Amino acid sequence: MRRKMDKDLLTHLINEVNSMVTEEIKIMEVCGTHTQMIAKLGLRSLLSSKIKLLSGPGCPVCVTEEKYIDWAIEILNRYHVTVATFGDLMRVGGGKGSLLEEKGKGKDVRIIYSSLDIIEMAEKNRGKQVVFLGVGFETTAPIIALAMKTAFERGIDNLYFLTSLKLMPPILHYILKEANNGIHGFICPGHVATIKGADYFKFINREYHTPAAVCGFEAIDIVAGIYYLVKQITQGKKNAFQNLYKRCVKPQGNPTANLLMEEVFNIVDGEWRGIGNIANSSLGINEKYTRFDARNAFVVEDQQVKIRTSCECKDILLGRKTPKECKLFKKRCNPLTPQGPCMVSTEGACTIAYRFGEEV
Amino acid sequence: MCIAVPGEVIELFPPEGRVKIMGVETTVNIQLIDDLKAGEHVLIHAGCAIEKINQNYYNDLLDIFKSMVDGNEKEDG
Ligand code: SF4
């Protein structure tokens, strides 16, 4: 029943969108999971060619700075440690190689699926130091905070966190203010909003007079989001905002998760791969938890290794270009020999464009 | 990486709970959610339930959609 309803509704919404649009409309989906779903559904082939769906900076692996990977490799090389990480980070290159290459050389690098598994890993390996690589956005940050708080309460003293946790609003301010990409509307990431609340994204319409919608990740969620945005844009309603993911997203988000983040982290400047330093765009570890900070516990040389590359990830992440417009795409750059992080992560715009054979 | 999946809560043994995700049972942390009960649905990310899913699953979207088509939608902004 629901399937049929969805299908009818989807067809209706897509037809409506196509009949509304007369001029080019650029919509950015900020989150990599949205990019993946749009490609899986083949949405671009169903929508009018006047609608340009652009991928944004919401794939955490794609924006993790080279220096971060180099720190992890330095720690592995200088100390007798276990490094635990999410799988997506394994193939990302820093200036000195990747964690996968280090594992190949016999280093102890392990993939985990939940940041809470590291508590068990540290408890079972008391004789060894465990370093967890915690990357992500506001969706993942409270779970890493919970792991750190749990380690604190249990007195675990062989666990460290090398974090690169990013915040969405500063990069969106950058995109709206400086990136010069002519974006007309935003599909906001539903899972970040689940934690931080729908109101977290209202600055997009209030400060920049650009329509925005918080969307979930099923076909109907995304298509309804595009319908909503195209309708507002074509009617000139620049201050429009809608939470289309109310089944999970409250206006203020999850208060328990937010309190936890406040307890463990503070807001600091952050380095974004390809983009550079953005003020107040990252989470640092608070004083109370500083003994868990791998940057304090391990001495590593902070030398920036410059990578010479023609990778255009920066322009892709900022909505100025599509993967097809990069001259390395599908040539020197492919999932087997990725030249940039957008081709490494399964949620990277270039990987998705490669896999699904469509312009992303 | 930011993917989150829906699951049904089968059993609670705080700080964890047993959930069923697409027919497969697994254990997740439930500390980020208050007043969780068996039978409720949650959104799960990186081994942790991050929010309850409102059981009126599609109603909100359909309501919004209906009002959008009717041209009298209420803005959230
Ligand atoms: S195709 Fe490869 S080189 Fe080009 S932008 Fe994407 S990741 Fe970078």
Side-chain angles (χ1 to χ4, degrees), chain A residues 309-317 321-334 337-344 348-351 353-354:
Chain A
T309 170
S310 333
C311 171
E312 308 215 45
C313 279
K314 176 180 181 177
D315 285 337
I316 290 171
L317 299 172
K321 280 190 177 167
T322 62
K324 237 171 81 179
E325 291 170 302
C326 169
K327 40 189 183 305
L328 304 184
F329 180 66
K330 278 194 172 175
K331 294 184 182 104
R332 198 141 63 80
C333 188
N334 58 66
T337 54
Q339 302 297 312
C342 290
M343 191 61 96
V344 171
C350 299
T351 313
Y354 189 96

Side-chain angles (χ1 to χ4, degrees), chain A residues 2 9 13 114 140 143 191 202 206 218 220 228 231-232 241-243 246-248 250 254 347, chain B residues 1-2 4 29 32 34 45-46 50-51 53-54 57-58 60 62 64-65 68 73-77:
Chain A
R2 190 184 120 192
L9 197 52
L13 286 171
S114 160
T140 317
I143 304 173
H191 293 147
K202 281 188 174 170
R206 288 188 180 157
E218 292 194 34
I220 186 68
Y228 172 78
K231 190 170 180 207
Q232 311 313 310
F241 181 90
Q242 192 69 258
N243 175 9
K246 285 189 177 139
R247 62 184 185 275
C248 294
K250 297 176 189 133
N254 178 331
E347 287 180 6
Chain B
M1 228 203 84
C2 290
N29 186 289
L32 296 184
D34 298 329
H45 170 66
I50 56 169
E51 190 53 278
I53 301 173
N54 179 346
Y57 206 56
Y58 270 81
D60 61 307
L62 292 178
I64 295 168
F65 167 69
M68 280 198 292
E73 76 251 40
K74 207 172 116 273
E75 289 296 336
D76 272 348

